[in-house]
Protein backbone atom coordinates (compact mmCIF):
# COMPACT_ATOMS: atom_id res chain seq x y z
CA UNK A 1 0.00 0.00 0.00
CA UNK A 2 1.40 3.43 -0.96
CA UNK A 3 2.19 5.69 1.98
CA UNK A 4 0.70 9.18 1.82
CA UNK A 5 2.75 12.00 3.33
CA UNK A 6 0.66 14.67 5.02
CA UNK A 7 1.77 17.98 6.47
CA UNK A 8 -0.60 19.07 9.25
CA UNK A 9 -0.66 22.83 9.93
CA UNK A 10 -3.20 23.45 12.71
CA UNK A 11 -2.49 27.19 13.06
CA UNK A 12 -4.26 29.46 15.54
CA UNK A 13 -7.47 29.71 17.58
CA UNK A 14 -9.76 26.74 16.99
CA UNK A 15 -7.34 25.38 14.34
CA UNK A 16 -5.56 22.97 16.74
CA UNK A 17 -8.89 21.95 18.35
CA UNK A 18 -10.48 20.88 15.07
CA UNK A 19 -7.20 19.38 13.76
CA UNK A 20 -7.16 17.04 16.78
CA UNK A 21 -10.15 15.25 15.23
CA UNK A 22 -8.22 14.70 11.99
CA UNK A 23 -5.23 13.31 13.91
CA UNK A 24 -7.51 10.81 15.67
CA UNK A 25 -9.19 9.85 12.42
CA UNK A 26 -5.83 9.27 10.71
CA UNK A 27 -4.66 7.07 13.61
CA UNK A 28 -7.87 5.05 13.36
CA UNK A 29 -7.57 4.67 9.58
CA UNK A 30 -3.91 3.58 9.84
CA UNK A 31 -4.85 1.03 12.52
CA UNK A 32 -7.68 -0.36 10.39
CA UNK A 33 -5.76 -0.76 7.13
CA UNK A 34 -7.60 2.12 5.47
CA UNK A 35 -4.66 3.68 3.70
CA UNK A 36 -1.25 4.37 5.15
CA UNK A 37 -0.57 7.91 6.28
CA UNK A 38 2.60 9.51 7.60
CA UNK A 39 2.15 12.91 9.20
CA UNK A 40 4.39 15.81 10.11
CA UNK A 41 3.31 18.88 12.05
CA UNK A 42 4.30 22.48 11.41
CA UNK A 43 3.59 25.97 12.69
CA UNK A 44 1.72 28.54 10.64
CA UNK A 45 0.12 31.91 11.38
CA UNK A 46 0.32 33.71 14.70
CA UNK A 47 1.84 30.79 16.59
CA UNK A 48 4.65 30.68 14.04
CA UNK A 49 5.15 34.44 14.35
CA UNK A 50 5.49 34.03 18.14
CA UNK A 51 8.10 31.30 17.70
CA UNK A 52 10.04 32.54 14.65
CA UNK A 53 8.98 36.13 13.86
CA UNK A 54 7.41 35.04 10.56
CA UNK A 55 4.05 33.45 9.71
CA UNK A 56 5.63 30.43 7.98
CA UNK A 57 9.27 29.34 7.88
CA UNK A 58 11.27 28.21 4.83
CA UNK A 59 11.68 24.80 6.51
CA UNK A 60 7.89 24.39 6.75
CA UNK A 61 7.53 25.51 3.13
CA UNK A 62 10.01 22.74 2.16
CA UNK A 63 7.85 20.22 4.02
CA UNK A 64 4.76 21.55 2.23
CA UNK A 65 6.47 21.16 -1.16
CA UNK A 66 7.45 17.58 -0.32
CA UNK A 67 4.08 16.53 1.12
CA UNK A 68 1.41 14.69 -0.88
CA UNK A 69 -1.13 17.02 0.72
CA UNK A 70 -1.19 19.87 3.24
CA UNK A 71 -3.99 19.82 5.81
CA UNK A 72 -4.50 23.36 7.12
CA UNK A 73 -6.54 24.54 10.14
CA UNK A 74 -6.98 28.31 10.45
CA UNK A 75 -4.85 31.37 11.18
CA UNK A 76 -5.24 34.78 12.77
CA UNK A 77 -6.63 36.43 15.86
CA UNK A 78 -6.65 39.74 17.71
CA UNK A 79 -3.32 38.93 19.41
CA UNK A 80 -1.55 39.49 16.08
CA UNK A 81 -3.53 42.46 14.79
CA UNK A 82 -0.57 44.80 15.06
CA UNK A 83 2.31 42.62 13.81
CA UNK A 84 4.15 43.90 10.69
CA UNK A 85 2.08 43.44 7.50
CA UNK A 86 4.48 40.93 5.90
CA UNK A 87 4.47 38.76 9.02
CA UNK A 88 0.71 38.83 9.67
CA UNK A 89 -0.84 35.36 10.13
CA UNK A 90 -2.67 35.40 6.77
CA UNK A 91 0.67 35.92 4.98
CA UNK A 92 1.56 32.31 5.81
CA UNK A 93 -1.59 31.05 4.14
CA UNK A 94 -1.05 33.27 1.09
CA UNK A 95 2.56 32.07 0.75
CA UNK A 96 1.39 28.45 0.79
CA UNK A 97 -1.18 29.16 -1.93
CA UNK A 98 1.33 31.12 -4.02
CA UNK A 99 4.42 28.89 -3.67
CA UNK A 100 2.44 25.70 -4.24
CA UNK A 101 0.72 27.48 -7.18
CA UNK A 102 -2.73 26.39 -6.04
CA UNK A 103 -4.85 27.82 -8.83
CA UNK A 104 -8.04 25.78 -8.40
CA UNK A 105 -10.20 26.31 -5.35
CA UNK A 106 -12.86 23.65 -4.77
CA UNK A 107 -15.83 24.32 -2.54
CA UNK A 108 -18.49 21.65 -2.26
CA UNK A 109 -21.97 22.50 -1.04
CA UNK A 110 -23.50 19.37 0.41
CA UNK A 111 -26.73 19.34 2.37
CA UNK A 112 -26.75 16.71 5.10
CA UNK A 113 -30.29 15.33 5.57
CA UNK A 114 -30.32 16.14 9.30
CA UNK A 115 -29.55 19.80 8.59
CA UNK A 116 -32.11 20.42 5.85
CA UNK A 117 -34.14 22.62 8.18
CA UNK A 118 -31.20 24.91 9.01
CA UNK A 119 -30.92 26.17 5.42
CA UNK A 120 -32.65 29.46 4.65
CA UNK A 121 -34.13 27.80 1.55
CA UNK A 122 -37.07 25.39 1.34
CA UNK A 123 -36.51 21.70 2.05
CA UNK A 124 -37.22 20.56 -1.53
CA UNK A 125 -34.67 23.04 -2.91
CA UNK A 126 -31.71 21.84 -0.80
CA UNK A 127 -32.52 18.25 0.21
CA UNK A 128 -29.91 15.93 -1.28
CA UNK A 129 -27.88 18.84 -2.64
CA UNK A 130 -24.29 17.96 -3.66
CA UNK A 131 -22.59 20.48 -5.94
CA UNK A 132 -18.99 21.60 -6.40
CA UNK A 133 -17.92 25.17 -7.17
CA UNK A 134 -14.47 25.52 -8.75
CA UNK A 135 -13.01 29.00 -8.53
CA UNK A 136 -9.88 30.14 -10.38
CA UNK A 137 -7.69 31.35 -7.53
CA UNK A 138 -4.47 32.91 -8.80
CA UNK A 139 -5.50 35.15 -11.71
CA UNK A 140 -8.15 37.63 -12.75
CA UNK A 141 -9.05 40.99 -11.31
CA UNK A 142 -7.54 40.42 -7.85
CA UNK A 143 -4.05 40.23 -9.33
CA UNK A 144 -4.23 41.99 -12.73
CA UNK A 145 -2.10 45.11 -13.37
CA UNK A 146 -2.54 48.06 -13.46
CA UNK A 147 -4.19 48.23 -10.08
CA UNK A 148 -4.15 51.85 -8.99
CA UNK A 149 -5.90 54.80 -7.42
CA UNK A 150 -4.86 58.02 -9.17
CA UNK A 151 -5.55 61.53 -7.90
CA UNK A 152 -6.93 63.43 -10.90
CA UNK A 153 -6.16 66.74 -9.25
CA UNK A 154 -9.69 68.15 -9.61
CA UNK A 155 -11.05 66.76 -6.39
CA UNK A 156 -11.65 63.43 -8.12
CA UNK A 157 -9.78 60.17 -7.91
CA UNK A 158 -9.79 57.27 -10.36
CA UNK A 159 -9.56 53.64 -9.26
CA UNK A 160 -8.53 50.94 -11.71
CA UNK A 161 -8.54 47.16 -11.35
CA UNK A 162 -7.63 44.97 -14.29
CA UNK A 163 -9.38 41.71 -15.13
CA UNK A 164 -6.91 39.66 -17.14
CA UNK A 165 -6.79 35.98 -18.18
CA UNK A 166 -4.43 34.14 -20.52
CA UNK A 167 -5.48 31.04 -22.45
CA UNK A 168 -3.35 28.67 -20.33
CA UNK A 169 -4.98 29.84 -17.10
CA UNK A 170 -8.45 29.08 -18.44
CA UNK A 171 -7.35 25.78 -19.97
CA UNK A 172 -5.90 24.41 -16.76
CA UNK A 173 -8.87 25.32 -14.56
CA UNK A 174 -11.27 23.93 -17.19
CA UNK A 175 -9.34 20.64 -17.13
CA UNK A 176 -9.67 20.42 -13.35
CA UNK A 177 -13.44 20.95 -13.69
CA UNK A 178 -13.90 18.32 -16.42
CA UNK A 179 -11.69 15.77 -14.63
CA UNK A 180 -13.61 16.16 -11.38
CA UNK A 181 -16.97 16.04 -13.15
CA UNK A 182 -15.99 12.62 -14.51
CA UNK A 183 -15.71 11.41 -10.90
CA UNK A 184 -19.14 12.87 -10.10
CA UNK A 185 -22.28 13.31 -12.26
CA UNK A 186 -20.35 14.25 -15.40
CA UNK A 187 -21.69 17.75 -15.90
CA UNK A 188 -19.83 21.12 -15.95
CA UNK A 189 -21.46 24.55 -15.98
CA UNK A 190 -19.06 27.36 -16.92
CA UNK A 191 -20.00 30.85 -15.75
CA UNK A 192 -18.70 34.21 -17.06
CA UNK A 193 -20.03 37.51 -18.44
CA UNK A 194 -19.24 37.21 -22.14
CA UNK A 195 -22.02 39.70 -22.92
CA UNK A 196 -20.04 42.58 -21.34
CA UNK A 197 -16.46 41.38 -20.69
CA UNK A 198 -13.66 40.39 -23.08
CA UNK A 199 -12.31 37.98 -20.47
CA UNK A 200 -15.76 36.37 -20.53
CA UNK A 201 -15.56 35.94 -24.32
CA UNK A 202 -12.14 34.27 -24.06
CA UNK A 203 -13.19 32.18 -21.04
CA UNK A 204 -16.21 30.84 -22.94
CA UNK A 205 -14.15 30.13 -26.08
CA UNK A 206 -11.32 28.32 -24.26
CA UNK A 207 -13.60 26.19 -22.06
CA UNK A 208 -15.51 25.16 -25.20
CA UNK A 209 -12.26 24.24 -26.98
CA UNK A 210 -10.90 22.18 -24.07
CA UNK A 211 -14.24 20.37 -23.94
CA UNK A 212 -14.22 19.63 -27.68
CA UNK A 213 -10.60 18.48 -27.67
CA UNK A 214 -10.37 16.44 -24.46
CA UNK A 215 -13.66 15.96 -22.63
CA UNK A 216 -16.48 15.36 -25.14
CA UNK A 217 -17.94 12.69 -22.84
CA UNK A 218 -18.70 15.34 -20.16
CA UNK A 219 -21.85 17.47 -20.49
CA UNK A 220 -20.95 21.18 -20.79
CA UNK A 221 -23.29 24.11 -20.26
CA UNK A 222 -22.55 27.87 -20.24
CA UNK A 223 -24.39 30.39 -18.08
CA UNK A 224 -23.90 34.11 -17.56
CA UNK A 225 -22.56 34.54 -14.03
CA UNK A 226 -25.39 36.81 -12.87
CA UNK A 227 -28.15 34.46 -13.96
CA UNK A 228 -26.03 31.57 -12.66
CA UNK A 229 -26.12 33.20 -9.23
CA UNK A 230 -29.89 33.42 -9.48
CA UNK A 231 -30.16 29.77 -10.54
CA UNK A 232 -27.95 28.72 -7.61
CA UNK A 233 -30.57 30.03 -5.22
CA UNK A 234 -33.62 29.10 -7.31
CA UNK A 235 -32.79 25.46 -8.11
CA UNK A 236 -29.21 24.52 -7.12
CA UNK A 237 -29.72 20.82 -7.84
CA UNK A 238 -29.50 21.52 -11.61
CA UNK A 239 -25.70 21.86 -11.13
CA UNK A 240 -22.93 19.32 -10.63
CA UNK A 241 -19.59 21.12 -11.15
CA UNK A 242 -19.56 24.91 -11.67
CA UNK A 243 -16.33 26.49 -12.96
CA UNK A 244 -15.76 30.22 -12.89
CA UNK A 245 -13.15 32.95 -12.49
CA UNK A 246 -11.65 34.40 -9.31
CA UNK A 247 -14.10 37.28 -8.78
CA UNK A 248 -17.34 35.49 -9.68
CA UNK A 249 -16.10 32.39 -7.89
CA UNK A 250 -15.51 34.34 -4.70
CA UNK A 251 -19.17 35.36 -4.64
CA UNK A 252 -20.80 32.28 -6.12
CA UNK A 253 -18.95 29.91 -3.76
CA UNK A 254 -20.12 31.91 -0.74
CA UNK A 255 -23.70 31.82 -2.02
CA UNK A 256 -23.50 28.08 -2.63
CA UNK A 257 -21.95 27.56 0.79
CA UNK A 258 -24.76 29.25 2.61
CA UNK A 259 -27.32 27.01 0.92
CA UNK A 260 -26.32 24.43 3.48
CA UNK A 261 -26.10 26.27 6.82
CA UNK A 262 -23.16 26.94 9.15
CA UNK A 263 -19.59 28.02 8.48
CA UNK A 264 -18.51 25.15 10.75
CA UNK A 265 -19.70 22.66 8.10
CA UNK A 266 -17.81 23.87 5.04
CA UNK A 267 -14.67 22.19 3.70
CA UNK A 268 -12.47 23.34 0.81
CA UNK A 269 -9.56 22.22 -1.30
CA UNK A 270 -7.01 24.09 -3.38
CA UNK A 271 -5.23 22.23 -6.15
CA UNK A 272 -2.19 23.04 -8.26
CA UNK A 273 -0.35 21.56 -11.24
CA UNK A 274 -0.23 17.78 -11.68
CA UNK A 275 3.20 16.15 -11.38
CA UNK A 276 3.98 14.78 -14.88
CA UNK A 277 5.20 11.45 -13.44
CA UNK A 278 2.83 10.70 -10.56
CA UNK A 279 -0.11 12.74 -11.99
CA UNK A 280 -0.71 13.90 -8.43
CA UNK A 281 -1.57 17.54 -7.97
CA UNK A 282 -0.11 19.83 -5.31
CA UNK A 283 -2.93 20.23 -2.84
CA UNK A 284 -4.02 21.92 0.35
CA UNK A 285 -7.22 21.15 2.25
CA UNK A 286 -8.76 23.56 4.77
CA UNK A 287 -12.07 24.50 6.34
CA UNK A 288 -13.65 27.69 4.98
CA UNK A 289 -13.96 29.18 8.47
CA UNK A 290 -11.28 31.18 10.32
CA UNK A 291 -9.73 30.80 13.74
CA UNK A 292 -12.95 31.84 15.57
CA UNK A 293 -11.22 33.67 18.46
CA UNK A 294 -14.61 34.16 20.14
CA UNK A 295 -14.91 30.43 20.89
CA UNK A 296 -11.23 29.33 20.81
CA UNK A 297 -10.04 27.28 23.76
CA UNK A 298 -13.58 26.41 24.86
CA UNK A 299 -13.89 23.04 23.14
CA UNK A 300 -17.05 24.21 21.36
CA UNK A 301 -15.90 24.42 17.75
CA UNK A 302 -17.57 22.30 15.11
CA UNK A 303 -14.90 19.90 13.72
CA UNK A 304 -16.99 18.82 10.69
CA UNK A 305 -15.58 21.38 8.21
CA UNK A 306 -12.04 20.24 9.14
CA UNK A 307 -12.87 16.52 8.98
CA UNK A 308 -14.71 16.97 5.68
CA UNK A 309 -11.64 18.84 4.33
CA UNK A 310 -9.57 15.75 5.13
CA UNK A 311 -12.33 13.77 3.36
CA UNK A 312 -11.68 15.89 0.26
CA UNK A 313 -7.99 14.94 0.49
CA UNK A 314 -9.00 11.27 0.49
CA UNK A 315 -11.19 11.86 -2.57
CA UNK A 316 -9.15 14.27 -4.66
CA UNK A 317 -5.50 13.60 -3.72
CA UNK A 318 -5.55 9.88 -2.94
CA UNK A 319 -8.50 8.63 -4.98
CA UNK A 320 -9.77 6.86 -1.83
CA UNK A 321 -13.40 7.28 -2.91
CA UNK A 322 -14.79 4.46 -0.76
CA UNK A 323 -13.16 5.85 2.38
CA UNK A 324 -14.23 9.42 1.55
CA UNK A 325 -17.82 8.22 1.08
CA UNK A 326 -17.59 6.35 4.38
CA UNK A 327 -16.49 9.51 6.18
CA UNK A 328 -19.36 11.49 4.63
CA UNK A 329 -21.80 8.78 5.72
CA UNK A 330 -20.31 8.80 9.24
CA UNK A 331 -20.77 12.58 9.49
CA UNK A 332 -24.39 12.21 8.29
CA UNK A 333 -24.95 9.38 10.80
CA UNK A 334 -23.61 11.38 13.77
CA UNK A 335 -25.89 14.27 12.78
CA UNK A 336 -28.85 11.92 12.26
CA UNK A 337 -28.38 10.74 15.84
CA UNK A 338 -29.12 14.29 16.93
CA UNK A 339 -25.57 15.24 17.91
CA UNK A 340 -24.82 18.93 17.32
CA UNK A 341 -22.11 21.41 18.16
CA UNK A 342 -23.43 24.76 19.39
CA UNK A 343 -23.30 26.47 15.97
CA UNK A 344 -25.78 23.99 14.43
CA UNK A 345 -27.94 23.15 17.44
CA UNK A 346 -31.71 23.12 17.14
CA UNK A 347 -34.60 22.06 19.33
CA UNK A 348 -34.56 18.43 20.41
CA UNK A 349 -30.87 17.84 19.60
CA UNK A 350 -27.97 17.01 21.92
CA UNK A 351 -25.21 19.60 22.16
CA UNK A 352 -21.70 18.11 22.30
CA UNK A 353 -18.19 19.60 22.24
CA UNK A 354 -15.49 19.43 19.55
CA UNK A 355 -13.81 16.24 20.78
CA UNK A 356 -17.09 14.38 21.40
CA UNK A 357 -18.35 15.21 17.90
CA UNK A 358 -15.05 14.04 16.35
CA UNK A 359 -15.11 10.83 18.41
CA UNK A 360 -18.74 10.18 17.46
CA UNK A 361 -17.86 10.49 13.76
CA UNK A 362 -14.94 8.05 14.09
CA UNK A 363 -17.30 5.76 16.05
CA UNK A 364 -19.80 5.84 13.18
CA UNK A 365 -16.98 5.04 10.71
CA UNK A 366 -16.12 2.03 12.82
CA UNK A 367 -19.75 0.80 12.74
CA UNK A 368 -20.18 1.46 9.02
CA UNK A 369 -16.90 -0.29 8.18
CA UNK A 370 -17.73 -3.37 10.27
P1 LIG B 1 -14.34 33.03 11.63
O1 LIG B 1 -14.67 32.08 10.53
O2 LIG B 1 -13.16 32.72 12.44
O3 LIG B 1 -15.62 33.16 12.60
C1 LIG B 1 -16.88 33.69 12.19
C2 LIG B 1 -17.98 33.20 13.17
O4 LIG B 1 -18.24 31.81 12.91
C3 LIG B 1 -17.55 33.28 14.63
O5 LIG B 1 -18.66 33.63 15.40
C4 LIG B 1 -17.11 31.89 14.96
O6 LIG B 1 -17.26 31.52 16.31
C5 LIG B 1 -18.00 31.03 14.04
N1 LIG B 1 -17.30 29.81 13.63
C6 LIG B 1 -16.30 29.72 12.72
N2 LIG B 1 -15.88 28.45 12.61
C7 LIG B 1 -16.62 27.73 13.48
C8 LIG B 1 -16.64 26.36 13.83
N3 LIG B 1 -15.81 25.45 13.27
N4 LIG B 1 -17.52 25.95 14.77
C9 LIG B 1 -18.37 26.82 15.33
N5 LIG B 1 -18.40 28.13 15.04
C10 LIG B 1 -17.53 28.58 14.11
O7 LIG B 1 -14.20 34.47 10.94
P2 LIG B 1 -13.81 35.87 11.62
O8 LIG B 1 -14.39 35.97 12.99
O9 LIG B 1 -14.16 36.87 10.59
O10 LIG B 1 -12.22 35.84 11.73
C11 LIG B 1 -11.50 35.45 12.90
C12 LIG B 1 -10.03 35.34 12.56
O11 LIG B 1 -9.84 34.30 11.60
C13 LIG B 1 -9.46 36.62 11.95
O12 LIG B 1 -8.15 36.80 12.43
C14 LIG B 1 -9.44 36.31 10.46
O13 LIG B 1 -8.45 37.04 9.78
C15 LIG B 1 -9.13 34.84 10.48
N6 LIG B 1 -9.58 34.09 9.27
C16 LIG B 1 -8.76 33.10 8.85
C17 LIG B 1 -9.13 32.30 7.79
C18 LIG B 1 -8.23 31.17 7.40
O14 LIG B 1 -7.34 30.83 8.16
N7 LIG B 1 -8.43 30.56 6.26
C19 LIG B 1 -10.37 32.48 7.16
C20 LIG B 1 -11.22 33.50 7.64
C21 LIG B 1 -10.81 34.29 8.71
Amino acid sequence: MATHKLLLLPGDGIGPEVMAGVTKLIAWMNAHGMGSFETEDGLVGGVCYDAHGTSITDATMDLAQAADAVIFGAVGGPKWDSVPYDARPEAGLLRLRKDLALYANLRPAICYPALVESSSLKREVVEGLDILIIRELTGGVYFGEPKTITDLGNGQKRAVDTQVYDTYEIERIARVAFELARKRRNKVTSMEKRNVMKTGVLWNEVVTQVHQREFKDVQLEHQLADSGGMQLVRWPKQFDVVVTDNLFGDMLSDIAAMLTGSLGMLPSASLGEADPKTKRRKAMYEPVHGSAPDIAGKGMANPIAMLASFGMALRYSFNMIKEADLLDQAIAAALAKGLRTVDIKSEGTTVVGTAAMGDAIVGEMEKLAA
Side-chain angles (χ1 to χ4, degrees):
M1 197 188 314
T3 295
H4 304 308
K5 278 198 303 186
L6 301 174
L7 175 63
L8 307 185
L9 299 176
D12 305 319
I14 62 169
E17 298 171 45
V18 292
M19 188 67 84
V22 172
T23 311
K24 278 191 195 168
L25 176 59
I26 290 170
W28 182 84
M29 290 181 72
N30 276 339
H32 289 75
M34 273 192 210
S36 162
F37 298 97
E38 261 175 24
T39 60
E40 287 196 80
D41 282 8
L43 294 178
V44 67
V47 285
C48 187
Y49 177 78
D50 289 347
H52 302 290
T54 176
S55 53
I56 193 158
T57 62
D58 291 345
T60 303
M61 280 309 308
D62 289 346
L63 290 176
Q65 292 284 4
D68 294 321
V70 177
I71 313 291
F72 185 97
V75 291
K79 183 179 174 198
W80 301 285
D81 276 352
S82 53
V83 305
Y85 187 77
D86 287 345
R88 72 198 191 286
E90 289 75 12
L93 176 58
L94 295 179
R95 180 165 176 204
L96 281 160
R97 286 184 183 152
K98 183 162 171 283
D99 288 10
L100 299 177
L102 304 174
Y103 59 80
N105 184 234
L106 280 52
R107 285 239 219 137
I110 294 169
C111 191
Y112 292 99
L115 294 182
V116 164
E117 302 301 341
S118 55
S119 170
S120 55
L121 297 184
K122 292 195 193 95
R123 169 182 278 273
E124 64 266 27
V125 176
V126 290
E127 197 165 35
L129 182 72
D130 175 5
I131 63 177
L132 180 64
I133 309 279
I134 302 184
R135 164 187 170 194
E136 200 290 326
L137 199 60
T138 53
V141 74
Y142 292 168
F143 298 99
E145 295 287 345
K147 194 176 200 48
T148 53
I149 298 181
T150 311
D151 197 329
L152 300 179
N154 57 355
Q156 296 285 306
K157 290 181 182 175
R158 176 171 296 151
V160 175
D161 290 295
T162 306
Q163 163 89 339
V164 50
Y165 273 109
D166 288 358
T167 304
Y168 80 95
E169 294 175 287
I170 306 170
E171 279 176 347
R172 65 185 185 180
I173 191 89
R175 280 194 191 102
V176 171
F178 288 123
E179 279 169 15
L180 293 180
R182 275 181 178 159
K183 295 185 185 174
R184 297 170 48 92
R185 297 190 301 280
N186 220 31
K187 179 178 171 187
V188 170
T189 306
S190 168
M191 294 190 189
E192 31 59 23
K193 291 274 293 175
R194 63 187 176 281
N195 51 341
V196 284
M197 295 171 77
K198 290 294 177 197
T199 46
V201 172
L202 185 67
W203 185 279
N204 183 280
E205 197 179 294
V206 173
V207 172
T208 305
Q209 285 165 358
V210 172
H211 176 249
Q212 281 299 309
R213 270 201 316 263
E214 301 166 41
F215 298 95
K216 268 191 161 159
D217 55 303
V218 181
Q219 187 190 345
L220 171 65
E221 186 179 80
H222 299 279
Q223 283 194 10
L224 295 176
D226 52 340
S227 87
M230 192 183 69
Q231 292 297 335
L232 264 175
V233 182
R234 192 185 71 85
W235 192 244
K237 284 189 258 183
Q238 69 185 277
F239 299 111
D240 176 19
V241 173
V242 172
V243 64
T244 189
D245 74 12
N246 203 345
L247 173 65
F248 296 138
D250 198 0
M251 291 184 285
L252 294 171
S253 63
D254 268 20
I255 295 173
M258 278 324 287
L259 298 174
T260 65
S262 161
L263 211 47
M265 301 289 300
L266 301 170
S268 81
S270 301
L271 306 181
E273 228 33 274
D275 182 294
K277 265 199 227 128
T278 64
K279 303 275 182 247
R280 181 167 293 162
R281 292 182 183 278
K282 288 256 183 281
M284 181 159 79
Y285 298 87
E286 56 178 312
V288 169
H289 63 71
S291 58
D294 52 336
I295 57 165
K298 297 183 180 158
M300 294 162 55
N302 186 344
I304 293 179
M306 184 78 252
L307 287 166
S309 299
F310 177 67
M312 290 185 79
L314 297 178
R315 194 178 297 279
Y316 297 120
S317 276
F318 307 128
N319 210 22
M320 295 173 68
I321 310 295
K322 209 169 64 172
E323 292 79 1
D325 286 346
L326 198 68
L327 176 55
D328 284 345
Q329 286 161 19
I331 293 170
L335 293 170
K337 278 204 164 142
L339 301 182
R340 299 283 190 277
T341 41
V342 178
D343 56 310
I344 51 170
K345 73 170 184 218
S346 58
E347 231 179 282
T349 57
T350 311
V351 172
V352 294
T354 312
M357 180 60 101
D359 290 348
I361 290 167
V362 175
E364 293 299 331
M365 292 248 325
E366 179 125 26
K367 276 189 233 159
L368 287 162

